[in-house]
């Protein structure tokens, strides 16, 4: 028997492992099984070279547990080890300076294992004792047993083993007994070892017999040794890719399409990326790409390897150039990883462009599902627009699709304003904005449909990329002013008539939560609607973008401001004004005369005090100004009261307001019920 201490510069290596790797305990199983697979593959390589002349036999790696004994055993029939190799690879841990080591890696448990090759020692995260019973493939080798109880002390002794390979026996700690559960172990094997290149057996398959599940003689192989991404794309059919997707994501809908990655220079990378059909929010769809290293699962947190916008994709990436254990900061800074990220972006872009060129009709049919990925890329990836502009599409409200260049050509003649800006009109909901869309179309304009999650947030970027172009929603202004061909026509009403019209309608506007109404009077033409509700493009867009972009919460808290535009050319608005003039003139004239008189007096007082400092103005004049302003305010309030009382009883005013609200989906509850009753009365 040989005894000794493991070759480290401190006796604290095992407490370090337990302390710093505690949150990642479960990876011990990945490390143990991966080592067993590696030993098996090395034997196969020796056989291929002719150095090993014996029979390979059954190379299955087996994982077993015994809850009563408290052990987990990982067995292989690989190359095994001699006593000298145990001393070299197990006993001599090649690192020093534990203080520097702790300081550098204290925040990253995974990196300790990966950086220092301590895969085997991860077993001590869950074990109070570990044994290795091993026999080398070399002729004349004897079986040996190595054991260690979690201190630097170890023992090596002779052992019995019929053939080459290794058994790693873990005696599980009392605080890690959770790993002595069949379903826990099976879950971890499925997570980390599902696609290892050597068969991994976990117990036996079961069958229902005599009213219970019983073991059969057949091994329960938990992995697929030749996953789809390892195969040559030309040998695969569409159904193969769909079937593999169902294996990865059993509860998901069929994917839109996929991209098979296969590159061996300047780095090694294989994998399959799927474009899923996204129905819910962005965040729920992330972290569906699984990263592997030589078919060993590493992580599904692939930020840094895959560009941000492609984290919405599903699938698998496998690269031996990415270590098994890496930190996120490592991924973000490593030069090779950045090359992989750039390659994936290019590959995805090339694939999308090829699909578009090969079968545009099929591409258009997928566009409503696909555009979320494209828009997300345009928003988050600085240079992606330059790639995406050739296969990005606009869809109009008629369901027709256009490339950016095609659509520009379509609208160039009709949709330029007086300053030469090209105006892209859009709607976000065909039904809600139907009347605005129809009005624009009647004027010969084309309207785009931006009904996707990220369509509106993308507008800012498109306005920056398109030369002399602006996007405007169809309800941002009246139809004649959406694309300003010339200066706005002036209404022929005088100031008093305009003010009176505005006041009677303003007084009857509903009080809605987080909504403000501003009434204005414009000449829109006798054929246009009597009342139109519009909403400023810029403010509404900022509010919508605040839902997606941090730092814009201020806009999200602001109330919605709606412009109520009264069409002074329409007969019903003229009728209201005529009624005001005929029914209220006697009552309003003295009030308006008093207001004008007081305003003239205030103007004269202001002229007297113009250019004077406050201390140079007498108190008498100050009081006179204050009293005059008070008189003006009182008369205006009196006038507003008269107009409000008139408006409250006028069915036409209420009907016009409610029709405009109804058109915009803003008439609800009691107000809607009153509108219906009033409509019936008017019909009578």
């Amino acid at each position: 028997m040989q005894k000794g201490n493991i070759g480290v510069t401190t006796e604290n290596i095992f407490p370090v492992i337990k302390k710093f790797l505690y949150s990642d305990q479960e990876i011990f199983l990945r490390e143990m099984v991966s080592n067993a697979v590696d030993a098996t593959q090395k034997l196969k390589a020796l056989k291929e070279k002719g150095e090993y002349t014996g029979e390979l036999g059954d190379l299955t790696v087996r994982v077993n547990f015994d809850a009563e004994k408290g052990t987990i055993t990982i067995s292989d029939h690989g190359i095994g080890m001699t006593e000298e190799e145990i001393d070299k690879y197990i006993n001599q841990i090649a690192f020093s300076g534990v203080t520097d080591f702790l300081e550098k890696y204290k925040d990253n448990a995974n990196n300790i294992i990966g950086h220092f090759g301590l895969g085997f020692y991860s077993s001590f995260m869950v074990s109070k004792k570990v044994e290795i019973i091993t026999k080398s493939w070399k002729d004349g080798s004897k079986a040996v047993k190595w054991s260690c109880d979690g201190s630097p002390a170890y023992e090596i002794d002779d052992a019995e083993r019929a053939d080459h390979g290794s058994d790693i026996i873990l005696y599980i700690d009392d605080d890690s007994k959770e790993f002595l559960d069949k379903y826990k172990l099976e879950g971890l094997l499925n997570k980390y070892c599902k696609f290892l290149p050597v068969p991994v057996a976990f117990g036996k398959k079961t069958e229902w017999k005599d009213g219970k599940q019983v073991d059969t003689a057949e091994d329960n192989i938990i992995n697929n040794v030749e996953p789809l991404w390892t195969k040559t794309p030309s040998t695969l059919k569409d159904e193969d890719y769909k079937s593999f997707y169902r294996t990865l994501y059993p509860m998901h809908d069929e994917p839109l399409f996929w991209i098979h990655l296969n590159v061996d220079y300047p780095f090694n990378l294989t994998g399959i990326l799927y474009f899923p059909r996204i129905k819910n929010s962005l965040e729920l769809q992330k972290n569906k790409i699984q990263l592997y290293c030589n078919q060993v699962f590493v992580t599904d947190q692939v930020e840094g390897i895959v560009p941000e916008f492609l984290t919405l994709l599903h699938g698998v990436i496998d690269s031996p150039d990415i270590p098994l254990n890496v930190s996120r900061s490592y991924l973000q800074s490593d030069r090779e990883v950045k090359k992989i990220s750039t390659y994936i972006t290019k590959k995805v872009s090339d694939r999308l462009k090829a699909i578009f060129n090969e079968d545009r009709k099929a591409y258009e049919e997928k566009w409503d599902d696909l555009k979320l990925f494209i828009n997300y890329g345009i928003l988050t990836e600085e240079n992606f627009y330059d790639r995406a502009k050739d296969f990005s599409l606009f869809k109009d409200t008629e369901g027709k699709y256009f490339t950016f260049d095609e659509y520009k050509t379509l609208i160039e003649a009709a949709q330029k304003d007086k300053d030469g800006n090209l105006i892209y009109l859009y709607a976000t909901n065909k039904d809600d904005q139907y009347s605005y869309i129809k009005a624009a179309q009647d004027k010969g304009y084309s309207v785009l449909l931006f009904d996707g999650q990220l369509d509106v947030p993308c507008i800012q970027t498109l306005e920056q990329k398109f030369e002399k172009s602006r996007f405007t929603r169809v309800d941002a202004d009246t139809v004649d002013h959406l694309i300003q061909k010339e200066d706005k026509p002036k209404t022929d009403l005088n100031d008093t008539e305009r003010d009176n019209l505005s006041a009677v309608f303003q007084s009857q506007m509903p009080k809605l939560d987080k909504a403000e109404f501003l009434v204005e009077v414009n000449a829109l033409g006798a054929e246009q609607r009597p009342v139109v509700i519009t909403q400023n493009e810029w403010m509404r867009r900022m509010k919508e973008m605040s839902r997606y972009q941090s730092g814009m919460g201020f806009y999200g808290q602001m109330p919605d401001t709606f412009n109520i535009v009264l069409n002074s050319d329409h007969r019903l608005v003229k009728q209201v004004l005529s009624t005001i003039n005929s029914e209220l003139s006697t009552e309003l004239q003295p009030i308006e005369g008093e207001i004008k008189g007081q305003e003239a007096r205030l103007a004269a007082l202001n002229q007297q005090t113009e250019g004077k400092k406050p201390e140079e103005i007498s108190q008498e004049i100050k009081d006179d100004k204050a009293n005059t302003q008070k008189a003006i305010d009182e008369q205006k309030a009196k006038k507003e009261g008269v107009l409000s009382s008139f408006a409250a009883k006028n069915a036409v005013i209420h009907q016009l307001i409610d029709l405009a609200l109804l058109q915009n989906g803003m008439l609800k509850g009691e107000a809607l019920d009153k509108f219906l009753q009033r409509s019936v009365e008017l019909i009578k």
Side-chain angles (χ1 to χ4, degrees):
M1 179 187 291
Q2 175 188 338
K3 294 185 178 182
N5 284 343
I6 295 168
V8 295
T9 58
T10 175
E11 294 192 359
N12 293 326
I13 181 60
F14 293 105
V16 165
I17 287 174
K18 283 182 178 288
K19 178 180 178 183
F20 288 100
L21 301 184
Y22 187 81
S23 63
D24 295 279
Q25 270 191 331
E26 65 180 36
I27 65 170
F28 82 92
L29 192 60
R30 178 188 75 182
E31 298 297 325
M32 296 297 100
V33 177
S34 297
N35 286 347
V37 167
D38 187 48
T40 306
Q41 288 184 299
K42 285 177 178 175
L43 184 69
K44 290 167 71 175
L46 291 171
K47 178 71 172 177
E48 289 172 6
K49 291 178 181 178
E51 294 182 33
Y52 173 67
T53 57
E55 293 296 321
L56 287 176
D58 181 8
L59 295 180
T60 303
V61 172
R62 300 180 186 279
V63 179
N64 293 294
F65 75 102
D66 187 323
E68 290 186 11
K69 293 182 179 178
T71 60
I72 298 173
T73 302
I74 300 94
S75 303
D76 68 71
H77 291 88
I79 57 173
M81 288 182 285
T82 63
E83 186 171 334
E84 292 77 14
E85 287 169 334
I86 284 181
D87 191 54
K88 179 179 180 181
Y89 296 118
I90 302 297
N91 294 337
Q92 300 300 321
I93 301 173
F95 75 89
S96 59
V98 74
T99 304
D100 293 341
F101 158 71
L102 289 178
E103 184 60 33
K104 188 171 183 179
Y105 294 100
K106 65 183 179 182
D107 295 326
N108 193 319
N110 260 338
N111 222 349
I112 298 174
I113 293 180
H115 193 80
F116 293 102
L118 295 179
F120 167 72
Y121 281 95
S122 66
S123 59
F124 284 95
M125 289 191 292
V126 298
S127 307
K128 56 190 174 187
K129 178 183 176 183
V130 177
E131 292 179 350
I132 304 173
I133 300 173
T134 183
K135 183 178 181 181
S136 173
W137 65 279
K138 296 173 183 175
D139 289 340
S141 296
K142 296 187 302 179
V144 293
K145 176 182 176 181
W146 177 95
S147 63
C148 178
D149 63 359
S151 70
Y154 68 86
E155 293 182 359
I156 296 180
D157 205 349
D158 292 338
E160 292 293 326
R161 185 181 170 96
D163 50 11
H164 53 78
S166 301
D167 295 330
I168 313 294
I169 305 165
L170 313 181
Y171 292 83
I172 303 302
D173 256 336
D174 290 341
D175 58 2
S176 299
K177 294 294 186 184
E178 66 197 85
F179 295 107
L180 293 171
D181 176 83
K182 177 183 178 182
Y183 299 104
K184 175 76 171 179
L185 287 173
E186 195 163 31
L188 292 178
L189 289 169
N190 273 313
K191 178 178 180 179
Y192 290 109
C193 307
K194 187 161 55 176
F195 298 114
L196 283 172
V198 171
V200 177
F202 180 60
K204 300 293 183 179
K205 286 189 175 180
T206 61
E207 65 179 12
W208 189 257
K209 191 174 182 179
D210 298 330
K212 59 181 179 179
Q213 288 289 134
V214 296
D215 288 345
T216 66
E218 185 181 354
D219 286 333
N220 177 35
I221 303 297
I222 58 92
N223 59 320
N224 175 358
V225 298
E226 289 187 339
L228 207 66
W229 75 82
T230 65
K231 298 179 180 180
T232 306
S234 60
T235 66
L236 300 173
K237 298 177 181 178
D238 286 358
E239 185 50 43
D240 295 322
Y241 288 104
K242 292 176 183 178
S243 176
F244 184 60
Y245 186 78
R246 288 192 292 270
T247 300
L248 294 172
Y249 314 104
M251 304 302 290
H252 283 68
D253 292 338
E254 189 174 289
L256 295 170
F257 50 82
W258 47 87
I259 298 170
H260 198 135
L261 305 170
N262 193 350
V263 62
D264 53 20
Y265 181 83
F267 46 79
N268 289 293
L269 178 72
T270 55
I272 302 170
L273 294 178
Y274 291 90
F275 282 78
R277 297 181 187 275
I278 291 186
K279 296 178 180 177
N280 300 314
S281 68
L282 301 182
E283 291 302 318
L284 291 176
Q285 301 296 327
K286 287 188 176 183
N287 300 327
K288 295 290 187 180
I289 296 178
Q290 300 172 9
L291 174 65
Y292 288 78
C293 174
N294 289 324
Q295 296 175 230
V296 181
F297 177 78
V298 179
T299 182
D300 55 10
Q301 306 287 321
V302 295
E303 294 90 343
I305 302 172
V306 175
E308 168 70 13
F309 76 101
L310 292 181
T311 57
L312 296 178
L313 301 187
H314 295 177
V316 170
I317 294 173
D318 191 330
S319 176
D321 294 333
I322 298 175
L324 260 183
N325 305 284
V326 289
S327 66
R328 186 164 294 185
S329 60
Y330 167 85
L331 290 176
Q332 291 170 346
S333 62
D334 185 74
R335 188 174 298 174
E336 292 304 311
V337 171
K338 286 182 178 177
K339 287 181 184 176
I340 291 174
S341 176
T342 302
Y343 168 80
I344 292 173
T345 302
K346 181 180 184 302
K347 188 74 174 177
V348 168
S349 301
D350 291 347
R351 172 72 170 139
L352 290 170
K353 188 174 181 180
I355 294 172
F356 173 71
N357 290 336
E358 290 165 9
D359 190 346
R360 176 164 173 169
K361 187 173 186 300
Y363 186 85
E364 289 178 356
E365 289 171 356
K366 293 183 174 74
W367 176 251
D368 285 351
D369 292 304
L370 185 60
K371 67 179 177 179
L372 179 65
F373 302 101
I374 310 297
N375 288 342
Y376 197 29
I378 288 173
L379 283 170
T380 60
E381 194 78 5
E382 186 177 350
N383 300 319
F384 184 67
Y385 170 82
D386 294 328
R387 295 183 185 276
K389 59 183 172 62
D390 294 329
F391 51 77
S392 290
L393 299 178
F394 282 142
K395 183 172 81 168
D396 70 8
T397 52
E398 302 299 302
K400 297 175 183 175
Y401 295 87
F402 306 86
T403 65
F404 290 167
D405 285 342
E406 289 168 352
Y407 196 74
K408 179 182 178 184
T409 301
L410 176 74
I411 66 171
E412 221 161 8
Q415 293 184 207
K416 276 188 178 174
D417 67 11
K418 61 188 178 68
D419 299 318
N421 297 305
L422 192 59
I423 308 301
Y424 290 76
L425 300 178
Y426 71 94
T428 54
N429 188 298
K430 278 179 67 174
D431 293 330
D432 291 352
Q433 294 146 23
Y434 174 81
S435 60
Y436 296 93
I437 295 169
K438 187 175 186 305
Q441 290 173 336
D442 289 346
K443 204 155 179 70
Y445 298 152
S446 173
V447 181
L448 294 169
L449 184 60
F450 283 179
D451 58 353
Q453 291 183 54
L454 295 180
D455 287 351
V456 172
C458 262
I459 287 175
Q460 297 284 103
T461 302
L462 295 179
E463 285 179 333
Q464 293 168 11
K465 299 293 184 181
F466 293 1
E467 186 178 348
K468 287 202 76 175
S469 299
R470 193 169 69 250
F471 286 74
T472 300
R473 206 167 89 172
V474 284
D475 57 354
D477 210 330
T478 55
V479 67
D480 285 332
H481 302 150
L482 281 173
I483 303 175
Q484 199 71 42
K485 301 288 188 179
E486 55 192 29
D487 292 333
K488 291 184 179 182
K490 296 242 171 105
T491 177
D492 56 4
L493 304 184
N494 60 42
D495 290 348
T496 299
E497 289 174 324
R498 237 185 358 257
D499 291 345
N500 288 348
L501 260 181
S502 296
V504 295
F505 278 86
Q506 185 75 61
S507 69
Q508 302 307 305
M509 295 310 301
K511 302 293 186 285
L512 301 181
D513 187 39
K514 287 192 173 182
E516 294 179 354
F517 296 97
L518 303 175
V519 179
E520 59 182 86
V521 180
N522 282 323
L524 305 180
E527 74 287 351
Q528 297 298 325
R529 287 181 174 78
V531 181
V532 181
I533 298 180
T534 66
Q535 195 174 12
N536 179 271
E537 169 71 19
W538 187 82
M539 276 304 299
R540 192 202 61 253
R541 194 192 299 180
M542 292 301 106
K543 283 179 68 68
E544 289 179 357
M545 288 177 64
S546 70
R547 283 182 270 163
Y548 300 96
Q549 291 182 229
S550 58
M552 295 186 68
F554 166 75
Y555 291 105
Q557 297 303 312
M558 293 182 70
D560 291 314
T561 302
F562 299 96
N563 297 316
I564 309 299
V565 184
L566 307 179
N567 181 6
S568 60
D569 292 332
H570 196 279
R571 65 176 183 82
L572 290 174
V573 176
K574 286 182 176 181
Q575 178 185 319
V576 171
L577 181 60
S578 176
T579 307
I580 293 171
N581 291 336
S582 62
E583 293 186 10
L584 301 182
S585 59
T586 303
E587 196 171 357
L588 288 178
Q589 279 178 1
I591 299 173
E592 289 169 349
E594 181 66 22
I595 291 172
K596 286 180 180 177
Q598 293 292 351
E599 285 178 339
R601 178 173 180 75
L602 184 62
L605 290 170
N606 285 334
Q607 193 172 9
Q608 286 181 38
T609 58
E610 189 176 357
K612 291 184 179 182
K613 296 178 181 178
E615 60 270 19
E616 296 174 343
I617 303 172
S618 69
Q619 187 61 44
E620 183 181 358
I621 291 179
K622 289 180 180 179
D623 291 343
D624 199 354
K625 286 176 70 174
N627 290 332
T628 303
Q629 184 61 60
K630 181 181 178 183
I632 292 171
D633 292 342
E634 287 174 350
Q635 291 302 314
K636 284 185 174 180
K638 187 176 179 181
K639 180 181 177 180
E640 285 178 9
V642 171
L643 292 170
S644 179
S645 296
F646 161 80
K649 301 170 188 174
N650 189 290
V652 174
I653 292 173
H654 286 279
Q655 200 73 358
L656 291 177
I657 290 173
D658 286 351
L659 282 169
L661 293 170
L662 185 66
Q663 178 189 345
N664 287 268
M666 299 165 68
L667 191 66
K668 299 174 182 178
E670 184 183 359
L672 178 59
D673 186 61
K674 286 183 177 179
F675 167 77
L676 295 173
Q677 291 179 28
R678 194 185 319 112
S679 298
V680 172
E681 291 299 321
L682 288 172
I683 293 171
K684 288 179 181 177

